[in-house]
Amino acid sequence: MTLSTYHDILQGLSEGSVSKHFDPYVDIDWDAPEMAVHSDDPRWIMPTEDPLGRHPWYRAQPVERQIAMGMWRQAGIAKVGIDFEQLLIRGLMQYLISVPNGDPEFRYVTHEAAEECNHTMMFQEMINRIGYRDVIGMGPIDRKLTMVIWPAVKYFPELFFTLVLGGEEPIDHLQKSLLRGGFDLHPMVHRVMQIHVAEEARHISFAHEYLRKNVPAMHPATRSLLSVLFPVVMRVMLSMIATPPKEFVDKFHIPREVMREAYWGSTESRHTKRDVFTDVRALATDIGLMNPVAKLVWRALGIDGPVSRYRSEPARRATA
């Protein structure tokens, strides 16, 4: 990719942030009657697209218990989203320190950080209205793992933007699956997902294009290291973003074997785990990170499989 092409892409993304952006307190009518939260609303039941939501143990629970778990789960996903967005914003601001005058990256990255700030407010408003005060986001181990972000931004920015993709791709994939599937979601959840997916498309595009531009020019040894770290980051971030925390498991007394099957022991959940990363496998292939050693790591982590033919292609089920 030439520098001129990269700058043209950034210009397009920046213009998109101006012409199509959302304000959570303008574009969501939080006080509309249909947005009201009721503890007996069956639309809070986790859909079958969710790994736990499709598990026979969950489907066998009384309706009121399924609703309570679904409400806590939605609030928990939003809280993890806040934690990740805040870390991303800090990393982006740190990255901007090194961006020279006149570089189009400054404008786009600042647009992205502003949109992520709006996302944190949107997620927090939804949590507040759901009403679970005990909901948590990232656990203590996850928070320690995020300490790698600071040195990565300064010394290994390609790894930082790999971390960005690792946090953005899983939730984007799962939300798109829910929206495409026509599930009967609570209107508040549905609207939050619509806004998040619309703006994350730009953020994911930038991370893809940044890596597409910079990875081929890396030193061969550093590129080889990134090729191995790439699938590791994806697998670790999937657990951080998509797996319910211990507090959720304890609160609702979910059997350990149920959690093991749902995340990611059953055949269906293993398909889901692989489907999440079809786009990033395609990216890794395109930019030279899918070498023989890296392929072994992808396979060992259970996230190998086919690549997407185009960005955000619906999952094609195939034997990995």
Side-chain angles (χ1 to χ4, degrees):
M1 178 189 295
T2 66
L3 186 61
S4 176
T5 300
Y6 179 62
H7 286 174
D8 287 344
I9 291 171
L10 292 181
Q11 181 66 24
L13 291 173
S14 293
E15 290 173 357
S17 290
V18 173
S19 62
K20 191 64 176 178
H21 65 275
F22 300 91
D23 184 315
Y25 293 102
V26 173
D27 297 294
I28 300 178
D29 188 357
W30 297 101
D31 295 320
E34 64 269 19
M35 294 291 190
V37 175
H38 301 290
S39 59
D40 60 350
D41 189 338
R43 291 175 298 185
W44 289 107
I45 294 174
M46 284 188 275
T48 53
E49 196 71 15
D50 184 281
L52 180 60
R54 74 169 69 100
H55 196 281
W57 178 88
Y58 176 77
R59 309 309 295 183
Q61 299 302 302
V63 169
E64 61 272 15
R65 185 170 171 80
Q66 290 187 49
I67 292 172
M69 293 172 69
M71 292 175 70
W72 202 104
R73 184 77 178 111
Q74 285 292 349
I77 292 170
K79 191 67 174 177
V80 170
I82 291 173
D83 288 347
F84 175 75
E85 305 283 33
Q86 289 173 336
L87 289 165
L88 173 58
I89 293 163
R90 294 173 202 165
L92 292 175
M93 292 297 98
Q94 182 181 344
Y95 177 77
L96 284 178
I97 293 172
S98 64
V99 175
N101 294 330
D103 193 322
E105 277 189 353
F106 183 90
R107 177 183 171 186
Y108 173 72
V109 170
T110 305
H111 276 308
E112 180 169 329
E115 290 165 0
E116 301 293 22
C117 284
N118 276 337
H119 293 175
T120 64
M121 290 190 288
M122 178 172 70
F123 292 154
Q124 188 62 60
E125 187 67 31
M126 185 170 76
I127 294 167
N128 294 346
R129 289 172 182 268
I130 290 174
Y132 276 111
R133 300 292 181 181
D134 62 341
V135 71
I136 72 159
M138 293 181 180
I141 296 176
D142 294 339
R143 290 184 179 279
K144 287 182 173 59
L145 289 172
T146 61
M147 295 304 292
V148 73
I149 286 177
W150 320 123
V153 173
K154 183 173 178 61
Y155 300 109
F156 201 169
E158 295 85 1
L159 176 60
F160 169 66
F161 284 104
T162 298
L163 289 162
V164 170
L165 278 181
E168 290 178 332
E169 290 277 7
I171 191 66
D172 183 72
H173 175 89
L174 295 172
Q175 288 183 339
K176 282 178 180 173
S177 295
L178 290 171
L179 293 173
R180 286 167 171 163
F183 293 95
D184 189 18
L185 305 169
H186 188 280
M188 181 171 62
V189 174
H190 189 270
R191 185 58 179 147
V192 166
M193 282 187 184
Q194 284 181 320
I195 291 174
H196 190 244
V197 164
E199 293 192 324
E200 285 299 312
R202 283 193 294 269
H203 306 171
I204 292 172
S205 290
F206 172 65
H208 275 248
E209 297 305 329
Y210 180 92
L211 293 172
R212 201 180 300 279
K213 167 184 169 288
N214 289 284
V215 167
M218 293 172 67
H219 187 280
T222 311
R223 188 167 61 245
S224 294
L225 174 61
L226 182 62
S227 74
V228 174
L229 291 176
F230 200 98
V232 174
V233 166
M234 296 303 143
R235 182 63 185 87
V236 170
M237 296 298 287
L238 176 65
S239 290
M240 293 171 64
I241 297 294
T243 306
K246 179 179 182 295
E247 287 77 3
F248 174 76
V249 175
D250 293 344
K251 181 181 179 69
F252 293 103
H253 308 288
I254 304 174
R256 303 296 171 181
E257 60 271 20
V258 169
M259 291 299 295
R260 283 194 296 271
E261 289 176 7
Y263 306 96
W264 305 88
S266 70
T267 300
E268 187 69 17
S269 67
R270 287 196 296 271
H271 277 304
T272 298
K273 182 174 65 172
R274 288 186 164 98
D275 291 345
V276 165
F277 297 119
T278 55
D279 282 353
V280 289
R281 286 195 298 267
L283 174 66
T285 301
D286 289 347
I287 61 179
L289 295 182
M290 197 62 83
N291 55 55
V293 175
K295 287 180 181 179
L296 290 175
V297 178
W298 282 93
R299 187 177 302 118
L301 295 173
I303 53 174
D304 59 322
V307 301
S308 59
R309 294 168 293 187
Y310 53 88
R311 278 278 311 283
S312 299
E313 180 189 10
R316 291 175 287 132
R317 289 299 163 89
T319 302

